Amino acid sequence: MTTAANLPKTYKAVSIPAPNGAWEIVTQELRAPAPDEVLIRVHASGICYSDHFAKLGGWPGMKFPCVTGHEVVGRVAGVGAGLSSKDREGRYKLGALVGVGWNGGYCGRCEPCRTGNAFMCKEGQVTGFTFDGGHAEYMYAPETAVVSIPEEALQKASYAELAPLLCGGITVFDAIRTAPWKPGDLCLVQGIGGLGHLGIQYASKLGLKVIAVSSGSSKKSLALSLGASEYIDASATDVVSYVKSLGGARLVLCTAPYSQSISNIIPAVGLNGTVTLVSAAVDGKIQVDNVVLNMSRAALRGWCCGCSPDTEQCVKFSTLSDVKSIVKEFPLEEYPNAYDAVMANKARFRNVIVFP
Ligand SMILES: [Zn+2]
Ligand SMILES: [Zn+2]
């Protein structure tokens, strides 16, 4: 085991004591990292809409009290005795820039792991649910959950601007790059919020022609500045008719969690296209006319966050192509207000807890 000199004996965290309880600022004892753990001094921790699953409780394997937070960027402050000397001197050396996302580690031996689906590992953990997450000055993460971040990332983005890439970013990045399309194909991005504003950037930087869709005109200039070729106000334009007149979309990325707006946009998918759902609709179930999918030979699929190796690729690409999240920073003590704003859809676009 190796730890940084002069570590404090205690650290502050925001914790929830029981399902539907109130968030509390607590002081916890700093302990030595377990053999497979990395101790991280947190610099930024993004608030994801999924934090509300922690507040509700009931996530498989979840324990209370719980420190949530799964968009974490910080620096290595200690490593467990089980990590190899190569790793201790390399990717997990003291002070190394690292992150932790939704996927809280994997075993590498079970069937999903061995078939390239480690996000479904049978022993998989979820950061901020099955172990304490990043809304804290320090956190402990299983080695396999830790994302190495090149120092040069900080030349393009702050700790806070990097943090949302660890869940929101990797989710839309992989949802786009794993779908079948070719450069120049048309991509519809539904919703310009925490996920959508990243989706527009990734899709355009990866080589798709992006049409951004939202309601009203207030987000038009932002959407265009993020890389969209066009903006459609869904409250004033028949999106499906217009996109069909262009030949249909090869990729429809649904990011706003509203069942009606997702249901409305699905028929804009074109021949051999893919509709990918990255958000969980919060107001009911989506509706799909399956004939629309049949006649376009289109696919409808969901997508969720990737594992640490996927996220390393996402962060590298983001640095290379200047993709970053638009954030508002909050101190730990203001977490409840920052969380409420995310739940009320008032964040523009990711609220992030920062630690000096
Ligand atoms: Zn998340
Ligand atoms: Zn596994």
Side-chain angles (χ1 to χ4, degrees), residues 48-51 70-71 102 167-168 171 305 350:
C48 179
Y49 197 86
S50 304
D51 282 17
H70 59 267
E71 294 185 339
W102 170 271
C167 176
T171 300
C305 203
R350 301 295 276 197

mmCIF file of all heavy atoms in Angstrom, residues 48-51 70-71 102 167-168 171 305 350, ligand 1:
data_model
loop_
_atom_site.group_PDB
_atom_site.id
_atom_site.type_symbol
_atom_site.label_atom_id
_atom_site.label_comp_id
_atom_site.label_asym_id
_atom_site.label_seq_id
_atom_site.Cartn_x
_atom_site.Cartn_y
_atom_site.Cartn_z
ATOM 1 N N CYS A 48 -25.333 13.851 -12.138
ATOM 2 C CA CYS A 48 -26.030 13.202 -13.246
ATOM 3 C C CYS A 48 -27.484 13.037 -12.831
ATOM 4 O O CYS A 48 -27.799 12.882 -11.652
ATOM 5 C CB CYS A 48 -25.390 11.835 -13.505
ATOM 6 S SG CYS A 48 -26.171 10.892 -14.825
ATOM 7 N N TYR A 49 -28.375 13.059 -13.819
ATOM 8 C CA TYR A 49 -29.798 12.848 -13.491
ATOM 9 C C TYR A 49 -29.990 11.528 -12.736
ATOM 10 O O TYR A 49 -30.869 11.404 -11.896
ATOM 11 C CB TYR A 49 -30.630 12.870 -14.783
ATOM 12 C CG TYR A 49 -32.098 13.066 -14.530
ATOM 13 C CD1 TYR A 49 -32.637 14.338 -14.403
ATOM 14 C CD2 TYR A 49 -32.935 11.967 -14.379
ATOM 15 C CE1 TYR A 49 -33.983 14.513 -14.135
ATOM 16 C CE2 TYR A 49 -34.287 12.140 -14.112
ATOM 17 C CZ TYR A 49 -34.807 13.417 -13.996
ATOM 18 O OH TYR A 49 -36.141 13.582 -13.721
ATOM 19 N N SER A 50 -29.096 10.563 -13.017
ATOM 20 C CA SER A 50 -29.211 9.254 -12.350
ATOM 21 C C SER A 50 -28.954 9.323 -10.851
ATOM 22 O O SER A 50 -29.211 8.348 -10.142
ATOM 23 C CB SER A 50 -28.218 8.256 -12.958
ATOM 24 O OG SER A 50 -28.425 8.153 -14.327
ATOM 25 N N ASP A 51 -28.467 10.457 -10.349
ATOM 26 C CA ASP A 51 -28.315 10.579 -8.889
ATOM 27 C C ASP A 51 -29.660 10.328 -8.188
ATOM 28 O O ASP A 51 -29.688 9.920 -7.022
ATOM 29 C CB ASP A 51 -27.807 11.981 -8.506
ATOM 30 C CG ASP A 51 -26.303 12.165 -8.723
ATOM 31 O OD1 ASP A 51 -25.705 11.348 -9.459
ATOM 32 O OD2 ASP A 51 -25.734 13.125 -8.167
ATOM 33 N N HIS A 70 -21.037 9.827 -9.788
ATOM 34 C CA HIS A 70 -20.320 8.902 -10.675
ATOM 35 C C HIS A 70 -19.772 9.607 -11.911
ATOM 36 O O HIS A 70 -19.682 9.013 -12.993
ATOM 37 C CB HIS A 70 -21.236 7.726 -11.056
ATOM 38 C CG HIS A 70 -22.496 8.147 -11.750
ATOM 39 N ND1 HIS A 70 -23.672 8.374 -11.080
ATOM 40 C CD2 HIS A 70 -22.747 8.413 -13.040
ATOM 41 C CE1 HIS A 70 -24.598 8.750 -11.946
ATOM 42 N NE2 HIS A 70 -24.053 8.792 -13.151
ATOM 43 N N GLU A 71 -19.437 10.870 -11.758
ATOM 44 C CA GLU A 71 -18.728 11.614 -12.825
ATOM 45 C C GLU A 71 -17.569 12.321 -12.130
ATOM 46 O O GLU A 71 -17.624 13.512 -11.860
ATOM 47 C CB GLU A 71 -19.661 12.634 -13.484
ATOM 48 C CG GLU A 71 -20.807 12.007 -14.260
ATOM 49 C CD GLU A 71 -21.642 13.036 -15.007
ATOM 50 O OE1 GLU A 71 -21.614 14.224 -14.632
ATOM 51 O OE2 GLU A 71 -22.324 12.649 -15.960
ATOM 52 N N TRP A 102 -19.801 5.761 -14.137
ATOM 53 C CA TRP A 102 -20.908 4.917 -13.641
ATOM 54 C C TRP A 102 -20.429 3.481 -13.405
ATOM 55 O O TRP A 102 -20.709 2.884 -12.375
ATOM 56 C CB TRP A 102 -22.028 4.943 -14.682
ATOM 57 C CG TRP A 102 -23.136 3.968 -14.462
ATOM 58 C CD1 TRP A 102 -23.189 2.687 -14.923
ATOM 59 C CD2 TRP A 102 -24.347 4.198 -13.742
ATOM 60 N NE1 TRP A 102 -24.362 2.097 -14.529
ATOM 61 C CE2 TRP A 102 -25.104 2.999 -13.807
ATOM 62 C CE3 TRP A 102 -24.881 5.288 -13.044
ATOM 63 C CZ2 TRP A 102 -26.344 2.872 -13.214
ATOM 64 C CZ3 TRP A 102 -26.132 5.149 -12.458
ATOM 65 C CH2 TRP A 102 -26.846 3.967 -12.543
ATOM 66 N N CYS A 167 -19.650 10.100 -17.432
ATOM 67 C CA CYS A 167 -20.908 9.354 -17.594
ATOM 68 C C CYS A 167 -21.668 9.889 -18.806
ATOM 69 O O CYS A 167 -21.858 9.190 -19.786
ATOM 70 C CB CYS A 167 -21.777 9.421 -16.346
ATOM 71 S SG CYS A 167 -23.378 8.608 -16.572
ATOM 72 N N GLY A 168 -22.077 11.160 -18.743
ATOM 73 C CA GLY A 168 -22.820 11.732 -19.864
ATOM 74 C C GLY A 168 -22.039 11.641 -21.162
ATOM 75 O O GLY A 168 -22.569 11.253 -22.212
ATOM 76 N N THR A 171 -21.454 8.010 -22.521
ATOM 77 C CA THR A 171 -22.727 7.424 -22.953
ATOM 78 C C THR A 171 -23.072 7.854 -24.378
ATOM 79 O O THR A 171 -23.358 7.020 -25.243
ATOM 80 C CB THR A 171 -23.856 7.821 -21.989
ATOM 81 O OG1 THR A 171 -23.535 7.340 -20.678
ATOM 82 C CG2 THR A 171 -25.183 7.225 -22.424
ATOM 83 N N CYS A 305 -23.899 3.592 -20.212
ATOM 84 C CA CYS A 305 -22.514 4.003 -19.993
ATOM 85 C C CYS A 305 -21.521 2.866 -20.263
ATOM 86 O O CYS A 305 -21.856 1.702 -20.105
ATOM 87 C CB CYS A 305 -22.430 4.427 -18.543
ATOM 88 S SG CYS A 305 -21.096 5.529 -18.205
ATOM 89 N N ARG A 350 -24.487 21.044 -17.209
ATOM 90 C CA ARG A 350 -24.177 20.067 -16.164
ATOM 91 C C ARG A 350 -23.762 20.832 -14.918
ATOM 92 O O ARG A 350 -22.914 21.728 -14.994
ATOM 93 C CB ARG A 350 -23.027 19.133 -16.572
ATOM 94 C CG ARG A 350 -23.230 18.321 -17.821
ATOM 95 C CD ARG A 350 -24.331 17.307 -17.760
ATOM 96 N NE ARG A 350 -23.965 16.047 -17.159
ATOM 97 C CZ ARG A 350 -24.694 14.919 -17.311
ATOM 98 N NH1 ARG A 350 -25.786 14.916 -18.057
ATOM 99 N NH2 ARG A 350 -24.333 13.813 -16.713
HETATM 100 ZN ZN ZN B 1 -24.763 9.194 -14.951
#
